[in-house]
Amino acid sequence: MDLQKVKLLIQQKKFRDLLDFLIKNKKNNDHSLEFLFYLGRAYSELNEYNLAIKNYLKALEIKSESVACLLNLAIIYHNIGEKKKAKNNYIKIISLNQKCIQAYFGLYSLGKELITTEHYDYLFNISENKELSLNDKSLINFLFFKREKKNKKFQK
């Protein structure tokens, strides 16, 4: 599989072309974690959620601790209203990789009570990391802002 072409099609947001390319190359790759991940991504971007879920689950049979697959699967479950499955995936992601800030945000968006004091403590500790992406810093700041507002420590 030409990974550079796959990444280029994603960057260009040509998901129908990506799907066509992947299906054309399926014969030699259909048991590859990478192939199944990108096939899931293509289906997801085309709002074909059942097919996306099917491919992410197949990928997780190959590597059950793939944070990327678990995160994309959690997002799909979240979007289609399968909140319990989304929650379980977000929690599993955090247990595998505490630095996956998107999982905390996803968990929070399911219900603010799902973010524990332990989660906030960890987020506080890593918020000082100068290598955090701007996106991750923004999500952490958002979570802390919401927590302070809830605790009425926010001043207008």
Side-chain angles (χ1 to χ4, degrees):
M1 179 171 64
D2 183 354
L3 198 54
Q4 286 182 323
K5 182 169 182 164
V6 168
K7 289 181 179 183
L8 180 63
L9 290 170
I10 291 171
Q11 184 180 33
Q12 295 172 339
K13 299 190 183 302
K14 293 183 177 181
F15 297 108
R16 179 57 60 192
D17 292 344
L18 173 62
L19 181 60
D20 292 343
F21 175 76
L22 291 169
I23 289 173
K24 188 171 138 182
N25 290 283
K26 184 177 185 175
K27 187 175 186 179
N28 301 325
N29 297 295
D30 63 346
H31 294 295
S32 155
L33 173 69
E34 204 167 58
F35 175 81
L36 292 167
F37 173 80
Y38 286 118
L39 191 56
R41 172 80 188 270
Y43 281 126
S44 177
E45 294 291 347
L46 295 169
N47 299 324
E48 296 185 36
Y49 298 124
N50 289 332
L51 292 170
I53 290 168
K54 178 182 170 185
N55 283 282
Y56 286 131
L57 291 174
K58 278 186 186 178
L60 289 168
E61 288 175 13
I62 296 168
K63 185 178 177 188
S64 63
E65 296 183 351
S66 169
V67 171
C69 287
L70 287 166
L71 182 60
N72 285 1
L73 193 55
I75 292 168
I76 292 171
Y77 284 143
H78 196 147
N79 289 339
I80 65 173
E82 297 264 358
K83 294 183 182 209
K84 186 174 183 179
K85 289 180 180 179
K87 174 186 155 191
N88 291 339
N89 276 319
Y90 289 133
I91 289 170
K92 184 171 183 177
I93 293 163
I94 292 168
S95 74
L96 293 171
N97 179 2
Q98 288 185 312
K99 294 179 183 177
C100 185
I101 308 306
Q102 293 165 307
Y104 295 96
F105 181 77
L107 200 56
Y108 175 86
S109 64
L110 285 173
K112 56 188 170 198
E113 71 283 352
L114 297 174
I115 300 291
T116 66
T117 301
E118 182 180 295
H119 291 142
Y120 280 113
D121 289 344
Y122 184 77
L123 289 170
F124 179 78
N125 288 333
I126 65 168
S127 67
E128 302 300 318
N129 183 341
K130 296 189 184 337
E131 294 178 17
L132 277 178
S133 71
L134 185 57
N135 184 54
D136 284 347
K137 287 179 185 178
S138 296
L139 290 176
I140 290 171
N141 287 336
F142 172 83
L143 292 170
F144 280 119
F145 172 79
K146 290 296 191 177
R147 181 183 189 198
E148 288 176 19
K149 187 174 179 183
K150 179 184 135 199
N151 294 335
K152 296 179 177 48
K153 293 180 183 174
F154 175 74
Q155 294 178 337
K156 291 182 181 179

